[in-house]
Amino acid sequence: AKIKKLKETNLELLSQVSTFEKLKAENAALSDQFQTAYPPTNKLLKAGIIGAPGFVPGVSIPNNFILSKGAKDNVKVGQAVVVRDNLVGVIVQASANLSKVNTINNSSFSFTAKTENGALGVVKGGGSLMIDNIQLWENIKKGELVLTKGDINQDGIGIVPDLVVGKITSVEKNPSSLFQKAKIESYIDFVSLSTVFVYIQNK
């Protein structure tokens, strides 16, 4: 009976530790976000990541996330999802209580972006994150930041300007090509991400 009681107590303590660690991680995410001036925190909705369909640890990186917030929380298709001032992805589906995000790594997700020096291009996910369709005469270089250009529709929904996509790690420029392109590395650790923020522009 004593051993059984000890086992039950041990399981209860382990559960409490797990809950504490989860709360600590959520508080850290909130603290980081509130210390970021942009985007404004009064337009952000905190959401937990409760699923990552198709993700295989050690083999791939998450292309989709399932979030713990949905339409009843004012989540809508097309809204941007961020961590601090970094773009995570965009809402592609929303039910009453849940929503689905295509991350910037998703091959079906593309958007207009700009480099620090103002060169315009299109960011595309897939095997590796790229910015393509940059004019050959533009001067882009390794280490340069890539930011969102902004893509808000008439309803106030979309990707706001100047969110960080990542930094350029290599440039591919061929004089015989119409455009140049570059590889991008995001600052986000998508594998260990547990909390994100949905940009509710029209809240």
Side-chain angles (χ1 to χ4, degrees):
K2 285 182 178 179
I3 291 172
K4 184 180 179 183
K5 182 67 175 175
L6 284 171
K7 284 182 177 178
E8 288 174 353
T9 303
N10 189 43
L11 283 171
E12 187 178 335
L13 287 171
L14 286 172
S15 176
Q16 289 176 6
V17 168
S18 175
T19 302
F20 172 75
E21 291 297 328
K22 183 181 177 183
L23 287 172
K24 191 166 74 170
E26 287 182 358
N27 285 337
L30 280 169
S31 177
D32 281 351
Q33 194 66 50
F34 288 144
Q35 288 175 24
T36 305
Y38 182 81
T41 53
N42 65 338
K43 293 188 176 181
L44 298 178
L45 173 71
K46 182 175 78 73
I49 295 172
I50 59 174
F55 167 57
V56 181
V59 176
S60 61
I61 54 176
N63 291 323
N64 302 284
F65 287 133
I66 305 299
L67 305 185
S68 61
K69 302 290 183 179
K72 69 178 180 59
D73 306 293
N74 205 30
V75 174
K76 298 176 182 178
V77 171
Q79 290 171 334
V81 178
V82 303
V83 168
R84 297 179 298 278
D85 57 350
N86 294 267
L87 179 65
V88 173
V90 69
I91 301 291
V92 292
Q93 291 178 23
S95 63
N97 300 300
L98 303 173
S99 53
K100 182 180 180 182
V101 179
N102 273 1
T103 72
I104 57 176
N105 306 306
N106 196 301
S107 59
S108 65
F109 184 32
S110 65
F111 55 94
T112 308
K114 60 187 178 183
T115 66
E116 279 181 281
N117 292 325
L120 294 178
V122 177
V123 172
K124 300 173 182 177
S128 60
L129 199 58
M130 303 283 296
I131 181 166
D132 204 345
N133 291 55
I134 300 174
Q135 297 289 343
L136 283 178
W137 49 265
E138 293 280 13
N139 181 26
I140 59 173
K141 57 185 185 296
K142 184 179 176 181
E144 196 174 350
L145 278 182
V146 175
L147 309 167
T148 58
K149 183 180 183 297
D151 184 21
I152 302 293
N153 66 21
Q154 68 274 14
D155 298 317
I157 296 173
I159 301 171
V160 293
D162 299 320
L163 293 174
V164 177
V165 180
K167 66 178 179 180
I168 292 176
T169 57
S170 64
V171 178
E172 188 179 318
K173 187 174 184 177
N174 188 336
S176 64
S177 300
L178 290 174
F179 302 104
Q180 58 180 317
K181 57 185 177 180
K183 277 190 177 182
I184 308 170
E185 183 180 287
S186 173
Y187 290 104
I188 298 171
D189 182 359
F190 288 90
V191 173
S192 61
L193 209 56
S194 60
T195 302
V196 294
F197 296 83
V198 183
Y199 197 101
I200 312 288
Q201 294 100 320
N202 57 348
K203 187 173 181 179

